[in-house]
Amino acid sequence: HNRWFHQLPVFRMAYGGTWPISAFFVISGFALSHRPLKVSRDAADGFTSGASAVASGLFRRPFRLYGPPLIATFITMVLIQLGAYEHGRKVSGDTNWVPVINEAHHKRFDSFGLQLGDWLHETWKMFHVFWWGDLHNQYDVHLWTIPTEFRCSLAIFLVLPMYISLR
């Protein structure tokens, strides 16, 4: 049944599976720790400069990670409330059109206030870093990586000053 070139196992790795997420986490960890380590090594006051770079990164990280998803999920919430996804909801539930994958569509509430309250709840789940429940934001289920990435960033920002102080 795998008749196409892109369906071969080696080539499917490029677009299937979870390895790109792991690679992204590793690259992100390197990128976050590179500047503070470089600054602490090159500056005369190594620890102070390195700790300042860590503090700067720690301050900017939530804005960089959570800003785009907040905007995207808010737009999605408004579009759901306006009924923009109703046709897609009908098509995805019809097995004649979509026989294999039944994509989940988030519930459309009766009023904008209820929809906004639900969006705020889903957003709180994404921001609540120390909650270990279901991380899937129902307005974009792919955003489970954002709180995980932020937790890993916090771990890096915790360990970096200790490592810099030992140098």
Side-chain angles (χ1 to χ4, degrees):
H1 65 282
N2 294 334
R3 300 182 200 144
W4 301 97
F5 185 70
H6 73 279
Q7 292 177 320
L8 294 173
V10 173
F11 298 105
R12 284 183 64 174
M13 280 180 34
Y15 64 88
T18 59
W19 75 269
I21 296 167
S22 301
F24 173 75
F25 283 170
V26 170
I27 293 168
S28 177
F30 173 79
L32 287 176
S33 59
H34 182 264
R35 182 175 176 270
L37 291 174
K38 186 174 186 300
V39 167
S40 70
R41 185 185 65 226
D42 295 343
D45 58 341
F47 178 76
T48 305
S49 297
S52 176
V54 169
S56 172
L58 179 62
F59 178 75
R60 291 186 320 224
R61 191 68 175 158
F63 297 106
R64 288 180 166 181
L65 275 179
Y66 287 112
L70 276 176
I71 294 167
T73 56
F74 184 80
I75 291 170
T76 302
M77 182 268 304
V78 170
L79 290 174
I80 287 173
Q81 182 59 38
L82 293 175
Y85 295 109
E86 291 308 306
H87 179 69
R89 188 184 314 269
K90 292 175 191 171
V91 170
S92 70
D94 187 0
T95 56
N96 294 326
W97 282 90
V98 185
V100 180
I101 300 171
N102 185 5
E103 185 174 324
H105 290 273
H106 194 59
K107 180 180 177 184
R108 181 179 178 198
F109 288 91
D110 294 332
S111 71
F112 183 79
L114 290 172
Q115 197 81 47
L116 181 65
D118 183 62
W119 176 78
L120 288 171
H121 173 71
E122 292 294 322
T123 303
W124 169 248
K125 286 186 345 186
M126 193 168 59
F127 272 99
H128 192 25
V129 178
F130 301 109
W131 180 67
W132 294 91
D134 180 22
L135 295 177
H136 289 90
N137 185 315
Q138 298 304 313
Y139 290 94
D140 187 353
V141 295
H142 307 98
L143 293 179
W144 66 268
T145 59
I146 300 299
T148 305
E149 176 73 16
F150 189 63
R151 285 181 190 148
C152 294
S153 300
L154 290 177
I156 288 173
F157 292 136
L158 176 69
V159 172
L160 271 175
M162 292 185 280
Y163 180 76
I164 291 170
S165 70
L166 295 175
R167 298 182 94 216

